[in-house]
Amino acid sequence: MLVNADFHIHSCFSMASSKDMVIKNMAPKSKLKGLQLLGTGDAFHPKWLDIIDESTTYSGDGIYAADGMDFVLTTEVEAKHRIHHVIIIPDMDIARELSEKLPSKNKNIDGRPKTNLGGAELLELAHDYDCLIGPAHAFTPWTGMYKSYDSIYDCYGKKPDFVELGLSADTDMADCISELKDFPFLTNSDAHSPWPHRLGREFNQIELDDISYSSIKKAIKHKDIKANYGLVPNLGKYHMTACTKCYKLIDPIVARENKMKCSCGGTIKKGVDFRISEISDFKKPLNPDFRPKYVHLMPLAEIISSVYEKGVTTKTVQGIWQKLIDNFKTEIDVLINAELDEIKKIDSDVALAIESFRNNTIDIVPGGGGQYGKICFKKEVKKPKMVTLDNF
């Protein structure tokens, strides 16, 4: 069976997460997105585990069900060198035992616990309990594994189970790195709120024997991921090298010559595109035979927002989003499967924007320095000039 799964999200207990990130909100919003399987996130937090226990029905073999949505226990851990790791966990008992064993001072406070364990130690602990583990958003400049290491094996000592690409990278970018050719790639939302432009903005289409932890483990181990769906990478907030204060895009060479300090006084963060170019072996992606297709997505609400030039959570934008969902069932169907002529009957301007999305002709102001890229549909795009040696 083909299942759309988003394994990396956060609960209401994670720093900077919405208080609305609870099961009763996650489940219906995920269904409207077009997902069938969702990670719980934050599964080392005792109070969140209690809420999962109270809010779901255990279906067996690591699956917890609520309101027609199936959940598998997942967490993100911040380990040595501030590197983030995603862990997929077999069941509640193991989650509680691992939470007790994890050396961490904040695990009862923050949904994303911090530990001084290195990647190799965390991998060993996870594998001792039959968990799956891999780097979260592997290339991002603050907490990605490759910001500290040139090789994944330098971090983990041996092979982890997967690599999560993150919002600022896609398969073609990662497949320029030869050591990743044998790794399955995961694309997950890292959502901190249940808004439909956050949950499921990246997800995996995965072949499962059934919805169970055993099947998830088997599918990832055997690379039975049939498609990765994710943002166009330059929409990611760390795609380009940029200042974290004024968000100017800055030539990486200029950034290094100025010791990663912007003329405004802000800190410059290296972009994912440049970091990958530093460690890549190929100018073009290797594209191993097993690698599934990567389908670029843009959140539907953000497309509508760009058409009407209104905020993504405004009544106007959410009203049009809801009309489209009412007619076509899920956001994925609207973006990819619905006939444009049928969409035009609801909103002709949005239909034109979706057509541009499908044809890859929507202009994007790229993101960097912690600011997401921006979709531009109606107005002529005034792309910011990159700061170079001539204009720093």
Side-chain angles (χ1 to χ4, degrees):
M1 58 191 298
L2 279 177
V3 172
N4 293 337
D6 179 0
F7 294 111
H8 181 183
I9 68 166
H10 290 278
S11 76
C12 58
F13 291 101
S14 272
M15 189 178 297
S17 280
S18 168
K19 61 179 173 43
D20 295 325
M21 280 299 270
V22 291
I23 299 294
K24 67 179 182 180
N25 295 326
M26 294 173 180
K29 295 297 186 184
S30 298
K31 285 196 296 183
L32 293 177
K33 192 76 177 190
L35 303 175
Q36 291 86 43
L37 178 62
L38 193 66
T40 60
D42 299 354
F44 285 169
H45 193 287
K47 290 183 180 178
W48 179 232
L49 287 175
D50 289 342
I51 290 174
I52 295 168
D53 206 12
E54 294 164 2
S55 305
T56 65
T57 301
Y58 187 51
S59 302
D61 199 354
I63 300 301
Y64 301 81
D67 297 326
M69 178 59 55
D70 289 316
F71 291 84
V72 63
L73 297 172
T74 62
T75 192
E76 183 181 39
V77 174
E78 182 174 303
K80 190 176 180 180
H81 303 310
R82 291 196 65 206
I83 293 171
H84 287 189
H85 308 261
V86 173
I87 304 175
I88 306 175
I89 305 162
D91 60 41
M92 188 80 71
D93 290 338
I94 288 175
R96 291 191 188 278
E97 190 168 344
L98 271 173
S99 179
E100 287 292 324
K101 283 202 166 188
L102 185 74
S104 171
K105 293 181 179 179
N106 76 327
K107 61 187 173 186
N108 295 322
I109 302 169
D110 194 344
R112 185 200 296 114
K114 296 180 181 180
T115 180
N116 289 325
L117 294 181
E121 295 169 297
L122 196 59
L123 181 146
E124 183 177 359
L125 182 62
H127 282 180
D128 282 348
Y129 283 84
D130 196 35
C131 299
L132 299 167
I133 184 171
H137 37 73
F139 308 101
T140 52
W142 290 105
T143 55
M145 180 271 301
Y146 277 114
K147 60 98 177 177
S148 295
Y149 295 100
D150 290 339
S151 170
I152 194 169
Y153 297 101
D154 291 340
C155 177
Y156 291 100
K158 57 183 179 179
K159 188 177 181 183
D161 300 299
F162 56 81
V163 172
E164 184 185 72
L165 298 180
L167 306 182
S168 297
D170 63 9
T171 292
D172 280 351
M173 295 172 69
D175 271 337
C176 290
I177 302 168
S178 62
E179 71 172 9
L180 297 182
K181 67 181 185 299
D182 294 326
F183 286 86
F185 292 157
L186 294 186
T187 41
N188 301 308
S189 70
D190 197 0
H192 286 63
S193 80
W195 284 101
H197 60 283
R198 294 291 186 244
L199 271 175
R201 57 185 166 180
E202 298 207 349
F203 66 91
N204 314 273
Q205 191 172 79
I206 187 168
E207 183 74 42
L208 298 178
D209 296 333
D210 53 36
I211 297 184
S212 65
Y213 178 79
S214 299
S215 291
I216 293 166
K217 181 180 178 182
K218 177 185 173 185
I220 291 176
K221 290 285 190 181
H222 289 82
K223 306 181 182 74
D224 284 332
I225 297 165
K226 300 305 179 184
N228 293 109
Y229 290 76
L231 293 184
V232 178
N234 55 6
L235 281 174
K237 59 183 180 180
Y238 297 111
H239 183 70
M240 301 288 285
T241 299
C243 175
T244 59
K245 184 178 179 181
C246 69
Y247 304 117
K248 285 186 295 192
L249 305 182
I250 299 172
D251 186 306
I253 296 172
V254 174
R256 283 192 300 196
E257 288 185 356
N258 288 275
K259 299 181 180 180
M260 307 306 283
K261 281 293 181 182
C262 181
S263 56
C264 77
T267 299
I268 301 168
K269 275 295 173 182
K270 187 183 295 184
V272 167
D273 66 327
F274 183 66
R275 179 58 182 145
I276 289 177
S277 75
E278 288 183 316
I279 56 177
S280 63
D281 310 279
F282 309 103
K283 291 184 178 179
K284 293 183 179 180
L286 186 62
N287 287 331
D289 291 340
F290 77 83
R291 189 71 72 205
K293 65 181 179 179
Y294 192 105
V295 181
H296 288 122
L297 289 180
M298 293 180 182
L300 177 59
E302 291 185 9
I303 292 176
I304 299 168
S305 173
S306 73
V307 171
Y308 283 90
E309 300 176 353
K310 292 181 180 292
V312 72
T313 60
T314 60
K315 186 175 180 179
T316 297
V317 170
Q318 290 300 312
I320 295 168
W321 182 90
Q322 191 62 56
K323 283 182 184 178
L324 290 166
I325 300 305
D326 290 343
N327 278 269
F328 302 107
K329 296 185 178 179
T330 74
E331 179 167 322
I332 303 306
D333 286 324
V334 176
L335 288 169
I336 296 170
N337 302 320
E339 294 291 337
L340 289 170
D341 286 343
E342 294 301 310
I343 298 175
K344 285 178 183 176
K345 292 176 183 178
I346 298 166
D347 193 298
S348 58
D349 288 336
V350 171
L352 286 173
I354 292 172
E355 184 177 22
S356 295
F357 154 70
R358 292 181 184 180
N359 295 336
N360 195 28
T361 57
I362 285 183
D363 286 307
I364 297 172
V365 175
Q371 184 178 67
Y372 287 106
K374 296 177 182 177
I375 300 168
C376 297
F377 175 66
K378 272 195 169 182
K379 291 182 178 179
E380 183 181 350
V381 184
K382 295 181 180 178
K383 292 188 178 180
K385 292 182 178 179
M386 180 177 288
V387 176
T388 64
L389 286 171
D390 296 329
N391 58 8
F392 185 74

